[in-house]
Coordinates of all heavy atoms in Angstrom, one line a residue:
M1280 N 0.8 -1.2 0.0 CA 0.0 0.0 0.0 C 0.9 1.2 0.0 O 1.8 1.3 0.8 CB -0.9 0.0 1.2 CG -1.9 1.0 1.3 SD -3.6 0.6 1.0 CE -4.0 -1.0 1.5
K1281 N 0.6 2.2 -0.9 CA 1.4 3.4 -1.0 C 0.5 4.6 -0.6 O -0.7 4.6 -0.9 CB 1.8 3.7 -2.5 CG 2.8 2.7 -3.1 CD 3.2 3.2 -4.5 CE 2.2 2.5 -5.5 NZ 2.6 2.8 -6.9
K1282 N 1.1 5.5 0.2 CA 0.3 6.7 0.7 C 1.1 7.9 0.1 O 2.3 7.9 0.2 CB 0.2 6.8 2.2 CG -0.6 7.9 2.6 CD -0.9 7.8 4.1 CE -1.9 9.0 4.5 NZ -2.3 9.0 5.8
Y1283 N 0.4 8.8 -0.4 CA 1.0 10.0 -1.1 C 0.2 11.2 -0.7 O -1.0 11.2 -0.7 CB 1.0 9.8 -2.6 CG 1.7 10.8 -3.4 CD1 3.1 10.9 -3.3 CD2 1.0 11.7 -4.2 CE1 3.7 11.9 -4.1 CE2 1.6 12.7 -4.9 CZ 3.0 12.8 -4.9 OH 3.6 13.7 -5.6
T1284 N 0.9 12.3 -0.4 CA 0.3 13.6 -0.2 C 0.8 14.6 -1.3 O 2.0 14.7 -1.6 CB 0.6 14.2 1.2 OG1 0.2 13.3 2.2 CG2 -0.1 15.5 1.4
Y1285 N -0.2 15.2 -1.9 CA 0.1 16.2 -3.1 C -0.4 17.5 -2.7 O -1.6 17.7 -2.3 CB -0.6 15.6 -4.3 CG -0.4 16.5 -5.6 CD1 0.7 16.3 -6.3 CD2 -1.4 17.4 -6.0 CE1 0.9 17.1 -7.5 CE2 -1.2 18.1 -7.1 CZ 0.0 18.0 -7.9 OH 0.1 18.7 -9.0
K1286 N 0.4 18.5 -2.8 CA 0.0 19.9 -2.6 C -0.6 20.5 -3.9 O 0.1 20.5 -4.9 CB 1.2 20.8 -2.2 CG 0.9 22.2 -1.9 CD 2.0 22.9 -1.2 CE 1.7 24.4 -0.9 NZ 0.4 24.8 -0.8
T1287 N -1.8 20.8 -3.8 CA -2.5 21.3 -5.0 C -2.1 22.7 -5.4 O -1.6 23.5 -4.6 CB -4.1 21.2 -4.8 OG1 -4.4 22.0 -3.7 CG2 -4.5 19.8 -4.6
Q1288 N -2.4 23.1 -6.7 CA -2.1 24.4 -7.1 C -3.3 24.9 -7.9 O -3.9 24.2 -8.8 CB -0.9 24.4 -8.0 CG 0.3 24.0 -7.3 CD 1.5 23.9 -8.3 OE1 1.4 24.1 -9.5 NE2 2.7 23.5 -7.7
G1289 N -3.8 26.1 -7.7 CA -4.8 26.8 -8.5 C -6.2 26.3 -8.1 O -7.2 26.6 -8.9
T1290 N -6.4 25.7 -7.0 CA -7.8 25.3 -6.5 C -8.0 25.7 -5.1 O -7.1 26.1 -4.4 CB -7.9 23.7 -6.6 OG1 -7.0 23.1 -5.7 CG2 -7.7 23.2 -8.0
C1291 N -9.3 25.6 -4.7 CA -9.7 25.9 -3.3 C -9.1 24.9 -2.3 O -8.8 25.2 -1.2 CB -11.2 25.9 -3.1 SG -12.0 27.1 -4.2
S1292 N -8.9 23.6 -2.7 CA -8.3 22.6 -1.9 C -6.8 22.9 -1.8 O -6.2 23.5 -2.7 CB -8.5 21.2 -2.4 OG -7.9 21.0 -3.6
Q1293 N -6.2 22.6 -0.6 CA -4.8 22.8 -0.4 C -3.9 21.6 -0.7 O -2.7 21.7 -1.0 CB -4.5 23.3 1.0 CG -5.1 24.7 1.3 CD -6.5 24.6 1.8 OE1 -6.8 23.7 2.6 NE2 -7.3 25.5 1.4
A1294 N -4.5 20.4 -0.5 CA -3.7 19.2 -0.6 C -4.7 18.0 -0.9 O -5.9 18.1 -0.6 CB -2.9 18.9 0.6
I1295 N -4.1 16.9 -1.4 CA -4.8 15.7 -1.5 C -4.0 14.5 -1.0 O -2.8 14.4 -1.3 CB -5.1 15.4 -3.0 CG1 -5.7 16.5 -3.7 CG2 -6.0 14.1 -3.2 CD1 -5.8 16.4 -5.3
E1296 N -4.6 13.7 -0.1 CA -4.0 12.5 0.5 C -4.6 11.3 -0.2 O -5.8 11.1 -0.3 CB -4.2 12.5 2.0 CG -3.6 13.6 2.7 CD -3.8 13.6 4.2 OE1 -4.7 12.8 4.6 OE2 -3.2 14.4 4.9
I1297 N -3.7 10.5 -0.8 CA -4.1 9.3 -1.6 C -3.5 8.1 -1.1 O -2.3 8.1 -0.7 CB -3.7 9.5 -3.1 CG1 -4.2 10.9 -3.6 CG2 -4.2 8.4 -3.9 CD1 -3.5 11.3 -4.9
T1298 N -4.3 7.0 -1.0 CA -3.7 5.7 -0.7 C -4.1 4.8 -1.8 O -5.2 4.7 -2.3 CB -4.3 5.1 0.6 OG1 -4.1 6.1 1.7 CG2 -3.7 3.8 1.0
V1299 N -3.1 4.1 -2.3 CA -3.2 3.2 -3.5 C -2.7 1.8 -3.1 O -1.6 1.7 -2.4 CB -2.4 3.7 -4.7 CG1 -2.5 2.7 -5.9 CG2 -3.0 5.0 -5.1
D1300 N -3.4 0.7 -3.5 CA -3.0 -0.6 -3.1 C -1.9 -1.1 -4.1 O -1.5 -0.4 -5.0 CB -4.2 -1.6 -3.0 CG -4.9 -1.9 -4.3 OD1 -4.3 -1.6 -5.4 OD2 -6.0 -2.4 -4.3
D1301 N -1.5 -2.3 -3.9 CA -0.4 -2.9 -4.7 C -0.8 -3.2 -6.1 O 0.1 -3.3 -7.0 CB 0.1 -4.2 -4.0 CG 0.8 -3.9 -2.7 OD1 1.3 -2.8 -2.4 OD2 0.8 -4.8 -1.8
D1302 N -2.1 -3.2 -6.4 CA -2.5 -3.4 -7.8 C -2.8 -2.1 -8.5 O -3.5 -2.0 -9.5 CB -3.8 -4.2 -7.8 CG -3.6 -5.7 -7.4 OD1 -2.5 -6.2 -7.6 OD2 -4.5 -6.3 -6.8
N1303 N -2.4 -1.0 -7.9 CA -2.6 0.4 -8.5 C -4.1 0.7 -8.5 O -4.5 1.4 -9.5 CB -1.9 0.6 -9.8 CG -0.5 1.1 -9.7 OD1 -0.1 1.6 -8.6 ND2 0.3 1.1 -10.7
R1304 N -4.8 0.3 -7.5 CA -6.2 0.7 -7.4 C -6.3 1.6 -6.2 O -5.6 1.5 -5.2 CB -7.1 -0.5 -7.1 CG -7.3 -1.4 -8.3 CD -8.4 -2.4 -8.1 NE -8.6 -3.2 -9.3 CZ -9.3 -2.9 -10.4 NH1 -9.9 -1.8 -10.4 NH2 -9.3 -3.7 -11.4
I1305 N -7.1 2.6 -6.4 CA -7.3 3.7 -5.3 C -8.0 3.1 -4.1 O -9.2 2.6 -4.3 CB -7.9 4.9 -5.9 CG1 -7.0 5.5 -7.0 CG2 -8.3 5.9 -4.8 CD1 -7.6 6.7 -7.7
N1306 N -7.4 3.2 -3.0 CA -8.0 2.7 -1.7 C -8.8 3.9 -1.1 O -9.9 3.7 -0.6 CB -6.9 2.2 -0.8 CG -7.5 1.6 0.4 OD1 -8.2 2.2 1.2 ND2 -7.2 0.3 0.6
S1307 N -8.2 5.1 -1.1 CA -8.8 6.3 -0.5 C -8.2 7.5 -1.0 O -7.1 7.6 -1.5 CB -8.7 6.3 1.0 OG -7.4 6.5 1.4
V1308 N -9.1 8.6 -1.1 CA -8.7 9.9 -1.5 C -9.3 10.9 -0.5 O -10.5 10.8 -0.2 CB -9.1 10.3 -2.9 CG1 -8.9 11.7 -3.2 CG2 -8.5 9.4 -3.9
Q1309 N -8.5 11.8 0.1 CA -9.1 12.8 0.9 C -8.5 14.2 0.5 O -7.3 14.4 0.5 CB -8.7 12.6 2.4 CG -9.3 13.6 3.3 CD -9.0 13.3 4.8 OE1 -8.3 12.4 5.1 NE2 -9.6 14.1 5.6
F1310 N -9.4 15.1 0.2 CA -9.0 16.5 -0.2 C -9.0 17.3 1.1 O -9.9 17.2 2.0 CB -10.0 17.1 -1.1 CG -10.0 16.5 -2.5 CD1 -10.6 15.4 -2.9 CD2 -9.3 17.2 -3.5 CE1 -10.6 14.9 -4.1 CE2 -9.2 16.7 -4.8 CZ -9.9 15.6 -5.1
I1311 N -8.0 18.1 1.3 CA -7.9 19.0 2.4 C -8.3 20.4 1.9 O -7.7 21.0 1.0 CB -6.4 19.1 2.9 CG1 -5.8 17.7 3.1 CG2 -6.3 20.0 4.1 CD1 -6.6 16.8 4.1
G1312 N -9.5 20.8 2.3 CA -10.1 22.1 1.8 C -10.9 21.8 0.6 O -11.1 20.6 0.2
G1313 N -11.4 22.8 0.0 CA -12.2 22.7 -1.2 C -13.7 22.5 -0.9 O -14.1 22.7 0.3
C1314 N -14.5 22.3 -1.9 CA -16.0 22.2 -1.7 C -16.2 20.8 -1.1 O -16.1 19.8 -1.8 CB -16.7 22.3 -3.0 SG -16.3 23.9 -3.8
D1315 N -16.7 20.8 0.1 CA -16.8 19.5 0.9 C -17.6 18.4 0.1 O -17.1 17.3 0.0 CB -17.4 19.8 2.2 CG -17.4 18.6 3.2 OD1 -16.3 18.1 3.4 OD2 -18.5 18.3 3.7
G1316 N -18.8 18.8 -0.3 CA -19.6 17.7 -1.0 C -19.0 17.2 -2.3 O -19.0 16.0 -2.6
N1317 N -18.4 18.2 -3.1 CA -17.8 17.8 -4.3 C -16.6 16.9 -4.1 O -16.5 15.9 -4.8 CB -17.5 19.0 -5.2 CG -18.7 19.7 -5.7 OD1 -19.7 19.2 -5.8 ND2 -18.5 21.0 -5.9
T1318 N -15.8 17.3 -3.2 CA -14.5 16.5 -3.0 C -14.9 15.1 -2.4 O -14.2 14.1 -2.7 CB -13.5 17.2 -2.2 OG1 -14.1 17.6 -0.9 CG2 -13.0 18.5 -2.9
K1319 N -15.9 15.0 -1.5 CA -16.3 13.7 -1.0 C -16.9 12.9 -2.1 O -16.6 11.7 -2.2 CB -17.3 13.9 0.1 CG -16.8 14.4 1.4 CD -17.9 14.5 2.5 CE -17.3 15.0 3.8 NZ -18.4 15.3 4.7
G1320 N -17.6 13.5 -3.0 CA -18.2 12.8 -4.2 C -17.1 12.2 -5.1 O -17.2 11.0 -5.5
I1321 N -16.1 13.0 -5.4 CA -15.0 12.6 -6.2 C -14.3 11.4 -5.6 O -14.0 10.4 -6.2 CB -14.0 13.7 -6.5 CG1 -14.6 14.8 -7.3 CG2 -12.7 13.2 -7.2 CD1 -13.8 16.1 -7.3
S1322 N -14.0 11.6 -4.3 CA -13.3 10.5 -3.5 C -14.1 9.2 -3.5 O -13.5 8.1 -3.7 CB -13.1 11.0 -2.1 OG -12.3 12.1 -2.0
S1323 N -15.4 9.3 -3.4 CA -16.2 8.1 -3.4 C -16.3 7.4 -4.8 O -16.2 6.2 -4.9 CB -17.7 8.4 -2.9 OG -18.5 7.3 -2.9
L1324 N -16.4 8.2 -5.8 CA -16.5 7.7 -7.2 C -15.2 7.0 -7.6 O -15.3 6.0 -8.4 CB -16.8 8.8 -8.1 CG -18.2 9.4 -8.0 CD1 -18.4 10.6 -8.9 CD2 -19.2 8.3 -8.5
V1325 N -14.0 7.5 -7.2 CA -12.8 6.9 -7.7 C -12.3 5.7 -6.8 O -11.4 5.0 -7.3 CB -11.6 8.0 -7.8 CG1 -12.1 9.1 -8.8 CG2 -11.2 8.5 -6.5
R1326 N -12.9 5.5 -5.7 CA -12.4 4.4 -4.8 C -12.6 3.1 -5.5 O -13.7 2.8 -6.1 CB -13.3 4.4 -3.5 CG -12.7 3.5 -2.4 CD -13.4 3.6 -1.1 NE -13.5 5.0 -0.6 CZ -14.6 5.7 -0.4 NH1 -15.8 5.1 -0.6 NH2 -14.5 6.9 0.1
G1327 N -11.5 2.3 -5.6 CA -11.6 1.0 -6.2 C -11.2 1.1 -7.7 O -10.9 0.0 -8.3
M1328 N -11.0 2.3 -8.2 CA -10.7 2.4 -9.7 C -9.1 2.3 -9.8 O -8.4 2.6 -8.9 CB -11.1 3.7 -10.2 CG -12.6 3.8 -10.4 SD -13.1 5.4 -11.1 CE -12.4 5.3 -12.8
K1329 N -8.7 1.8 -11.0 CA -7.3 1.8 -11.4 C -6.8 3.3 -11.6 O -7.5 4.1 -12.1 CB -7.1 1.1 -12.7 CG -7.3 -0.4 -12.6 CD -5.9 -1.0 -12.2 CE -5.8 -2.4 -12.6 NZ -4.6 -3.0 -12.0
V1330 N -5.6 3.5 -11.1 CA -5.0 4.8 -11.2 C -5.1 5.4 -12.6 O -5.5 6.5 -12.8 CB -3.6 4.8 -10.6 CG1 -2.8 6.1 -10.9 CG2 -3.6 4.6 -9.1
Q1331 N -4.7 4.6 -13.6 CA -4.6 5.1 -15.0 C -6.0 5.5 -15.5 O -6.1 6.4 -16.2 CB -4.0 4.0 -15.9 CG -2.5 3.8 -15.6 CD -1.6 5.0 -16.0 OE1 -2.1 6.0 -16.6 NE2 -0.4 5.0 -15.6
D1332 N -7.0 4.8 -15.1 CA -8.4 5.1 -15.5 C -8.9 6.4 -14.9 O -9.5 7.2 -15.6 CB -9.4 4.0 -15.1 CG -9.1 2.7 -15.8 OD1 -8.5 2.7 -16.9 OD2 -9.5 1.6 -15.3
V1333 N -8.5 6.7 -13.7 CA -8.9 7.9 -13.0 C -8.2 9.1 -13.7 O -8.8 10.1 -14.0 CB -8.6 7.9 -11.5 CG1 -8.8 9.3 -10.9 CG2 -9.4 6.8 -10.8
I1334 N -6.9 8.9 -14.0 CA -6.1 10.0 -14.7 C -6.8 10.3 -16.0 O -7.0 11.5 -16.4 CB -4.6 9.5 -14.9 CG1 -3.9 9.4 -13.5 CG2 -3.9 10.5 -15.8 CD1 -2.6 8.8 -13.6
A1335 N -7.1 9.3 -16.8 CA -7.7 9.5 -18.1 C -9.0 10.2 -18.0 O -9.4 11.0 -18.9 CB -7.9 8.1 -18.8
K1336 N -9.8 9.9 -17.0 CA -11.2 10.5 -16.9 C -11.1 11.9 -16.4 O -12.0 12.8 -16.8 CB -12.1 9.7 -16.0 CG -12.5 8.4 -16.6 CD -13.7 7.9 -15.9 CE -14.3 6.7 -16.5 NZ -15.2 7.0 -17.7
L1337 N -10.2 12.3 -15.5 CA -10.2 13.6 -14.8 C -9.3 14.6 -15.4 O -9.4 15.8 -15.1 CB -9.9 13.3 -13.3 CG -10.9 12.4 -12.6 CD1 -10.5 12.4 -11.1 CD2 -12.3 12.9 -12.7
R1338 N -8.3 14.2 -16.1 CA -7.3 15.1 -16.6 C -7.9 16.2 -17.5 O -8.8 15.9 -18.3 CB -6.2 14.4 -17.5 CG -5.1 15.3 -18.0 CD -4.2 14.7 -19.0 NE -3.5 13.6 -18.3 CZ -3.2 12.4 -18.9 NH1 -3.7 12.2 -20.1 NH2 -2.6 11.5 -18.2
G1339 N -7.6 17.5 -17.2 CA -8.0 18.6 -18.0 C -9.4 19.2 -17.7 O -9.8 20.2 -18.3
I1340 N -10.0 18.7 -16.6 CA -11.3 19.3 -16.2 C -11.0 20.6 -15.5 O -10.0 20.7 -14.7 CB -12.0 18.4 -15.2 CG1 -12.5 17.1 -15.9 CG2 -13.2 19.1 -14.6 CD1 -13.1 16.1 -15.0
T1341 N -11.7 21.7 -15.9 CA -11.5 23.0 -15.3 C -12.7 23.3 -14.4 O -13.7 22.7 -14.4 CB -11.4 24.0 -16.4 OG1 -12.6 24.0 -17.2 CG2 -10.2 23.8 -17.4
C1342 N -12.5 24.4 -13.6 CA -13.5 24.9 -12.7 C -13.7 26.4 -12.9 O -12.8 27.2 -12.6 CB -13.0 24.6 -11.2 SG -14.2 25.1 -10.0
G1343 N -14.8 26.7 -13.5 CA -15.1 28.1 -13.8 C -14.0 28.7 -14.7 O -13.7 28.1 -15.8
Y1344 N -13.5 29.8 -14.3 CA -12.5 30.5 -15.1 C -11.1 29.9 -14.9 O -10.1 30.3 -15.5 CB -12.5 32.0 -14.8 CG -12.1 32.3 -13.3 CD1 -10.8 32.4 -12.9 CD2 -13.1 32.3 -12.4 CE1 -10.5 32.7 -11.6 CE2 -12.8 32.6 -11.0 CZ -11.5 32.7 -10.7 OH -11.2 32.9 -9.3
K1345 N -10.9 29.0 -13.9 CA -9.6 28.5 -13.6 C -9.2 27.5 -14.6 O -10.0 26.8 -15.3 CB -9.7 27.8 -12.2 CG -10.0 28.7 -11.1 CD -10.1 28.0 -9.8 CE -10.5 28.9 -8.6 NZ -10.7 28.2 -7.4
S1346 N -7.9 27.4 -14.8 CA -7.3 26.4 -15.8 C -7.2 25.0 -15.2 O -6.7 24.1 -15.9 CB -5.9 26.9 -16.3 OG -5.0 26.9 -15.2
T1347 N -7.6 24.8 -14.0 CA -7.6 23.5 -13.4 C -8.8 23.3 -12.5 O -9.6 24.2 -12.4 CB -6.2 23.3 -12.6 OG1 -6.1 21.9 -12.2 CG2 -6.1 24.2 -11.4
S1348 N -8.9 22.2 -11.7 CA -10.0 21.9 -10.8 C -9.5 20.9 -9.8 O -8.4 20.3 -10.0 CB -11.1 21.3 -11.6 OG -10.8 20.1 -12.2
C1349 N -10.3 20.6 -8.8 CA -9.9 19.5 -7.9 C -9.8 18.1 -8.6 O -8.8 17.4 -8.4 CB -10.9 19.4 -6.7 SG -10.7 20.8 -5.6
P1350 N -10.7 17.8 -9.5 CA -10.5 16.5 -10.3 C -9.2 16.5 -11.1 O -8.5 15.5 -11.1 CB -11.7 16.4 -11.2 CG -12.8 17.2 -10.5 CD -12.0 18.3 -9.8
D1351 N -8.9 17.6 -11.8 CA -7.7 17.7 -12.5 C -6.5 17.6 -11.6 O -5.5 16.9 -12.0 CB -7.7 19.1 -13.3 CG -6.4 19.2 -14.2 OD1 -6.2 18.3 -15.0 OD2 -5.7 20.2 -14.1
Q1352 N -6.5 18.3 -10.5 CA -5.4 18.2 -9.5 C -5.2 16.7 -9.0 O -4.1 16.3 -8.8 CB -5.6 19.1 -8.4 CG -5.4 20.6 -8.8 CD -4.0 20.9 -9.1 OE1 -3.1 20.8 -8.3 NE2 -3.8 21.3 -10.4
L1353 N -6.3 16.0 -8.9 CA -6.2 14.6 -8.5 C -5.5 13.8 -9.6 O -4.6 13.0 -9.3 CB -7.6 14.0 -8.2 CG -7.6 12.5 -7.9 CD1 -6.7 12.2 -6.7 CD2 -9.0 12.1 -7.6
S1354 N -5.8 14.1 -10.8 CA -5.1 13.4 -11.9 C -3.6 13.7 -11.9 O -2.8 12.8 -12.1 CB -5.7 13.7 -13.3 OG -5.4 15.0 -13.7
K1355 N -3.3 15.0 -11.7 CA -1.9 15.4 -11.6 C -1.2 14.7 -10.4 O 0.0 14.3 -10.5 CB -1.7 16.9 -11.5 CG -2.2 17.6 -12.8 CD -2.1 19.1 -12.6 CE -2.7 19.8 -13.8 NZ -2.0 19.7 -15.0
A1356 N -1.9 14.6 -9.3 CA -1.3 13.9 -8.1 C -1.0 12.5 -8.4 O 0.0 11.9 -8.0 CB -2.3 14.1 -6.9
L1357 N -2.0 11.8 -9.1 CA -1.8 10.4 -9.4 C -0.6 10.2 -10.4 O 0.2 9.3 -10.2 CB -3.1 9.8 -10.0 CG -4.2 9.7 -8.9 CD1 -5.5 9.4 -9.6 CD2 -3.9 8.7 -7.8
E1358 N -0.5 11.1 -11.3 CA 0.6 11.0 -12.3 C 1.9 11.2 -11.6 O 2.9 10.5 -11.8 CB 0.5 12.1 -13.4 CG -0.6 11.8 -14.4 CD -0.8 12.9 -15.4 OE1 -0.5 14.1 -15.1 OE2 -1.3 12.6 -16.5
A1359 N 2.0 12.2 -10.6 CA 3.2 12.4 -9.9 C 3.6 11.2 -9.0 O 4.7 10.8 -8.8 CB 3.1 13.6 -9.0
M1360 N 2.5 10.5 -8.5 CA 2.7 9.4 -7.6 C 3.3 8.2 -8.4 O 4.1 7.5 -7.8 CB 1.4 9.0 -7.0 CG 1.5 7.9 -5.9 SD -0.1 7.5 -5.3 CE -0.8 6.6 -6.6
L1361 N 2.9 8.1 -9.6 CA 3.4 7.0 -10.4 C 4.9 7.2 -10.8 O 5.7 6.4 -10.9 CB 2.7 6.8 -11.7 CG 1.2 6.4 -11.6 CD1 0.6 6.3 -13.0 CD2 1.1 5.0 -10.9

């Protein structure tokens, strides 16, 4: 099991804590800060998914006028973790 903390950039959340099992499946995701319901929803939806699948689905999502979002930052965190 790997645990990783990623400092986000350009979002309301400040960091993301991720735990991935030995098969590269997401065990847990916790956003520090950000929109509580949205980040809990993202965390619930990606639990059990393969890291590469989550990266492919979330990469490039923006939030309003921002060039990134919490889902996009999660994809960046997972890429950095690999």
Side-chain angles (χ1 to χ4, degrees):
M1280 187 105 32
K1281 295 183 267 184
K1282 186 170 183 177
Y1283 185 70
T1284 301
Y1285 180 82
K1286 182 167 175 27
T1287 58
Q1288 298 175 358
T1290 60
C1291 299
S1292 63
Q1293 293 88 37
I1295 308 169
E1296 295 176 349
I1297 306 162
T1298 305
V1299 175
D1300 68 17
D1301 295 332
D1302 293 329
N1303 270 346
R1304 289 194 180 272
I1305 296 175
N1306 187 301
S1307 67
V1308 172
Q1309 182 178 6
F1310 288 83
I1311 310 303
C1314 301
D1315 190 52
N1317 290 337
T1318 57
K1319 284 179 182 175
I1321 294 164
S1322 299
S1323 180
L1324 288 170
V1325 301
R1326 191 175 304 121
M1328 289 181 66
K1329 286 275 204 184
V1330 168
Q1331 292 292 351
D1332 294 338
V1333 174
I1334 292 169
K1336 285 197 175 281
L1337 301 182
R1338 182 187 297 136
I1340 293 175
T1341 59
C1342 183
Y1344 63 88
K1345 297 176 183 177
S1346 62
T1347 190
S1348 66
C1349 289
D1351 183 54
Q1352 288 294 297
L1353 176 56
S1354 76
K1355 291 176 187 296
L1357 292 169
E1358 286 175 334
M1360 188 180 73
L1361 293 179

